[in-house]
């Protein structure tokens, strides 16, 4: 399953961020997935729910946002959204376009509850 490896990479990234922040419980992870990334939001959520508790507390939330694919025409520099995999400039009809966003899974933010605020103990 494609989503499981994506979630695995994501969890590894988050672990590194948490370690860099000095630890804590992860409350929420925000992820953007492009239309072209091939991510099925439901499968991604299921894979996350399955795999995250082994790494974080089970209360960790996943916010997944699917973003449209945008591209720029290499002939006339027109920027547009790609719908139904039509990689053709709507202005000049050129078939040579460059994808700007929408083909990747990006970690947008990680919300960490510090150990202190959870336990309410001053060290
Ligand atoms: Zn064009």
């Amino acid at each position: 399953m494609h989503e499981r490896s994506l979630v695995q990479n994501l969890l590894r990234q988050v672990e590194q961020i948490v370690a860099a922040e000095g630890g804590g419980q992860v409350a929420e992870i925000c992820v953007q997935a492009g239309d072209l990334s091939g991510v099925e939001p439901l499968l991604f959520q299921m894979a996350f729910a399955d795999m995250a508790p082994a790494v974080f507390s089970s209360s960790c939330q996943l916010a997944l946002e699917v973003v449209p694919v945008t591209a720029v025409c290499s002939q006339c520099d027109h920027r547009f959204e790609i719908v139904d995999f039509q990689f053709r400039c709507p202005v000049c009809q050129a078939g040579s376009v460059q994808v700007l966003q929408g083909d990747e899974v990006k970690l947008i933010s990680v919300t960490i509850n510090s150990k202190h605020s959870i336990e309410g103990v001053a060290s």
Side-chain angles (χ1 to χ4, degrees), residues 72-104:
V72 60
C73 174
S74 54
Q75 298 295 317
C76 70
D77 280 340
H78 177 64
R79 286 183 180 222
F80 58 100
E81 245 176 54
I82 289 178
V83 182
D84 293 336
F85 298 97
Q86 293 297 311
F87 290 90
R88 189 170 287 279
C89 175
V91 173
C92 72
Q93 305 298 315
S96 171
V97 301
Q98 193 193 340
V99 173
L100 298 173
Q101 74 157 35
D103 60 351
E104 57 189 357

Side-chain angles (χ1 to χ4, degrees), residues 9 16 46 62 83 95 103 122:
N9 287 339
Q16 284 170 3
M46 281 168 58
L62 172 70
V83 182
D103 60 351

